[in-house]
Amino acid sequence: MNDRDARAAWSALAEPTDPVARALITEFGPDRALQLALQPSVHQLHDAIRHAAESPSADEIAVEAADRSALRAPSLEIAERAHLRWCDRAGSVRLEDLIDDADRAGIGFLTPEDDSWPGAVEDLGVNAPYGLWMRGSASPADLLTARPTVAIVGARAATAYGAQVAGDLALGAAERGITVVSGGAYGIDAAAHRGALSAGQSLTCAVLAGGLDRFYPRGNEDLLRAVERHALILSEAPMFTAPTRWRFLARNRIIAALSAATVVVEAALRSGALSTANRADDLSRPVAAVPGPVTSPASAGCHRLARENGAVLITDADELAELVTSSPASDGTGVVDELDLLSAADRRVLDAVPPRSVISCRAAARDCGLGVDAVQAALQRISMLGLVELTGSGVRRRL
């Protein structure tokens, strides 16, 4: 099985936050890790897990894991439990046919090796998704890489005030060429998607927690169909995967990573939208909150973000644009510099290109710590912005 099929298989076998799966994939690559995971010998799997646990990346994975002992003290019992849950799922799906079956259903699959892969999710490091399933008419590169992005999230039980503000912010963002990312849920998410679609530029992306063969929540199916027709829907879960609480929370890290900034419009003190803001903060992305009535529980989480986490208070699309563009223009629209269109991974590749000499793709890959294929794809994107020039011997900066 090649790495592409193996990544699709892992999306079906392991939960996004499975620390043992992530350690194996990080250490051995998706294909070899899959072979180790499904082999009959649990003892060999245990040896592989112990080897992966000694990797420098294991500490980062362990921090994200609910069961940190799974990596810090990998026992034979942990290997047996992992083997059992993976083999159990493998027995219920045809792993080798996942991509073909999805393709027949109109669902594509993106991997880090694809040109359209949204490089911003690589900022999640070892916790980046194995791959992303997608459906829609818009290219991920056009929607998520070639323009600024902002997450607009908030309460499902939104007030009329919150829904109006979310819609107005999304409309204003789309009119300024900013893609609106949200979770497709009731309330603030739905208002954000509708607001962005109403701009007529199809600049929105819904990131769902379950498989894309059926949309959830069912009450938003018409809205999500509209997003599919005009824009883009993503999920790290394959077909027939039910959305669960932990998948919603894991999904929020992708929303935060895809977005240059996160805006929380309404959130109670225990709202799941706050996890998106926290993940954005972990990634050093700007976080903003919309102020609400001090008597409204639906805005209590926003006020806490501002008071305790330093979130910026915003009230309109002009202030939103300041978060994701280099500077606000005098007429109220954001001025976008070429560097603002680069993902963090693309910026790293650009930094590896010296100012006055030619460097080979392999040397650039070595300097920035990425694979040669990923660097070549990044250089193609950067060259389209006129920042570098590809030559027969490598790449150089455009002066």
Side-chain angles (χ1 to χ4, degrees), residues 326-348:
S326 57
S327 61
S330 58
D331 63 355
T333 60
V335 176
V336 182
D337 184 82
E338 288 89 345
L339 293 177
D340 294 311
L341 303 179
L342 299 182
S343 68
D346 287 353
R347 283 176 179 267
R348 192 192 312 178

Side-chain angles (χ1 to χ4, degrees), residues 352-364 366-367 379 388-399:
V353 180
R356 293 182 177 84
S357 59
V358 176
I359 187 173
S360 69
C361 290
R362 185 170 297 278
R366 183 174 60 250
D367 289 348
L379 289 173
V388 299
E389 179 182 0
L390 301 178
T391 71
S393 57
V395 60
R396 62 186 174 199
R397 294 267 189 142
R398 282 188 181 273
L399 301 178

Side-chain angles (χ1 to χ4, degrees), residues 239-398:
M239 292 195 300
F240 311 118
T241 301
T244 55
R245 173 174 170 76
W246 56 87
R247 280 192 173 270
F248 280 108
L249 293 174
R251 178 274 312 267
N252 289 347
R253 83 191 193 286
I254 298 178
I255 294 176
L258 286 173
S259 308
T262 292
V263 177
V264 183
V265 177
E266 275 189 327
L269 291 176
R270 296 176 61 84
S271 171
L274 298 180
S275 75
T276 308
N278 291 333
R279 299 313 298 264
D281 190 53
D282 291 341
L283 293 168
S284 299
R285 306 279 207 273
V287 175
V290 173
V294 295
T295 55
S296 173
S299 291
C302 295
H303 299 156
R304 176 175 287 180
L305 280 176
R307 184 176 67 252
E308 299 180 5
N309 296 72
V312 178
L313 292 178
I314 67 166
T315 60
D316 58 32
D318 287 337
E319 294 170 349
L320 179 151
E322 291 182 31
L323 294 173
V324 296
T325 56
S326 57
S327 61
S330 58
D331 63 355
T333 60
V335 176
V336 182
D337 184 82
E338 288 89 345
L339 293 177
D340 294 311
L341 303 179
L342 299 182
S343 68
D346 287 353
R347 283 176 179 267
R348 192 192 312 178
V349 173
L350 179 61
D351 288 343
V353 180
R356 293 182 177 84
S357 59
V358 176
I359 187 173
S360 69
C361 290
R362 185 170 297 278
R366 183 174 60 250
D367 289 348
C368 64
L370 298 174
V372 174
D373 289 344
V375 168
Q376 288 175 335
L379 289 173
Q380 289 289 343
R381 293 190 293 269
I382 296 169
S383 67
M384 292 175 63
L385 295 173
L387 298 174
V388 299
E389 179 182 0
L390 301 178
T391 71
S393 57
V395 60
R396 62 186 174 199
R397 294 267 189 142
R398 282 188 181 273

Side-chain angles (χ1 to χ4, degrees), residues 37-393:
L38 300 181
Q39 65 181 329
S41 172
V42 176
H43 287 278
Q44 190 174 351
L45 173 60
H46 177 233
D47 290 342
I49 293 172
R50 289 185 62 184
H51 178 77
E54 296 171 358
S55 165
S57 62
D59 285 341
E60 186 177 349
I61 297 172
V63 168
E64 298 290 334
D67 181 7
R68 299 185 181 186
S69 64
L71 286 185
R72 291 178 175 163
S75 65
L76 182 60
E77 181 184 0
I78 286 171
E80 290 173 342
R81 290 204 306 263
H83 186 261
L84 180 62
R85 65 176 176 264
W86 296 335
C87 289
D88 186 49
R89 286 190 175 182
S92 63
V93 294
R94 298 178 303 176
L95 297 179
E96 66 277 7
D97 296 329
L98 279 173
I99 293 178
D100 289 340
D101 290 345
D103 187 59
R104 283 190 286 272
I107 300 170
F109 186 61
L110 281 172
T111 74
E113 291 71 40
D114 292 322
D115 290 344
S116 292
W117 178 255
V121 297
E122 295 302 324
D123 287 355
L124 292 168
V126 294
N127 297 295
Y130 310 127
L132 288 170
W133 301 91
M134 66 174 184
R135 61 190 307 171
S137 62
S139 161
D142 293 340
L143 208 60
L144 300 171
T145 303
R147 61 180 68 250
T149 52
V150 65
I152 298 180
V153 297
R156 284 172 292 180
T159 67
Y161 161 79
Q164 178 179 342
V165 172
D168 290 345
L169 287 174
L171 170 62
E175 289 176 337
R176 290 161 173 77
I178 300 169
T179 296
V180 174
V181 182
S182 199
Y186 293 132
I188 298 301
D189 288 15
H193 291 307
R194 290 193 182 97
L197 288 173
S198 68
Q201 300 183 54
S202 306
L203 296 184
T204 190
C205 174
V207 185
L208 305 189
L212 299 185
D213 53 305
R214 51 185 175 180
F215 292 143
Y216 182 90
R218 293 293 298 274
N220 276 354
E221 183 164 356
D222 288 345
L223 170 62
L224 293 172
R225 292 291 177 194
V227 175
E228 178 189 11
R229 285 194 303 273
H230 302 289
L232 183 67
I233 302 178
L234 298 176
S235 175
E236 60 184 327
M239 292 195 300
F240 311 118
T241 301
T244 55
R245 173 174 170 76
W246 56 87
R247 280 192 173 270
F248 280 108
L249 293 174
R251 178 274 312 267
N252 289 347
R253 83 191 193 286
I254 298 178
I255 294 176
L258 286 173
S259 308
T262 292
V263 177
V264 183
V265 177
E266 275 189 327
L269 291 176
R270 296 176 61 84
S271 171
L274 298 180
S275 75
T276 308
N278 291 333
R279 299 313 298 264
D281 190 53
D282 291 341
L283 293 168
S284 299
R285 306 279 207 273
V287 175
V290 173
V294 295
T295 55
S296 173
S299 291
C302 295
H303 299 156
R304 176 175 287 180
L305 280 176
R307 184 176 67 252
E308 299 180 5
N309 296 72
V312 178
L313 292 178
I314 67 166
T315 60
D316 58 32
D318 287 337
E319 294 170 349
L320 179 151
E322 291 182 31
L323 294 173
V324 296
T325 56
S326 57
S327 61
S330 58
D331 63 355
T333 60
V335 176
V336 182
D337 184 82
E338 288 89 345
L339 293 177
D340 294 311
L341 303 179
L342 299 182
S343 68
D346 287 353
R347 283 176 179 267
R348 192 192 312 178
V349 173
L350 179 61
D351 288 343
V353 180
R356 293 182 177 84
S357 59
V358 176
I359 187 173
S360 69
C361 290
R362 185 170 297 278
R366 183 174 60 250
D367 289 348
C368 64
L370 298 174
V372 174
D373 289 344
V375 168
Q376 288 175 335
L379 289 173
Q380 289 289 343
R381 293 190 293 269
I382 296 169
S383 67
M384 292 175 63
L385 295 173
L387 298 174
V388 299
E389 179 182 0
L390 301 178
T391 71
S393 57

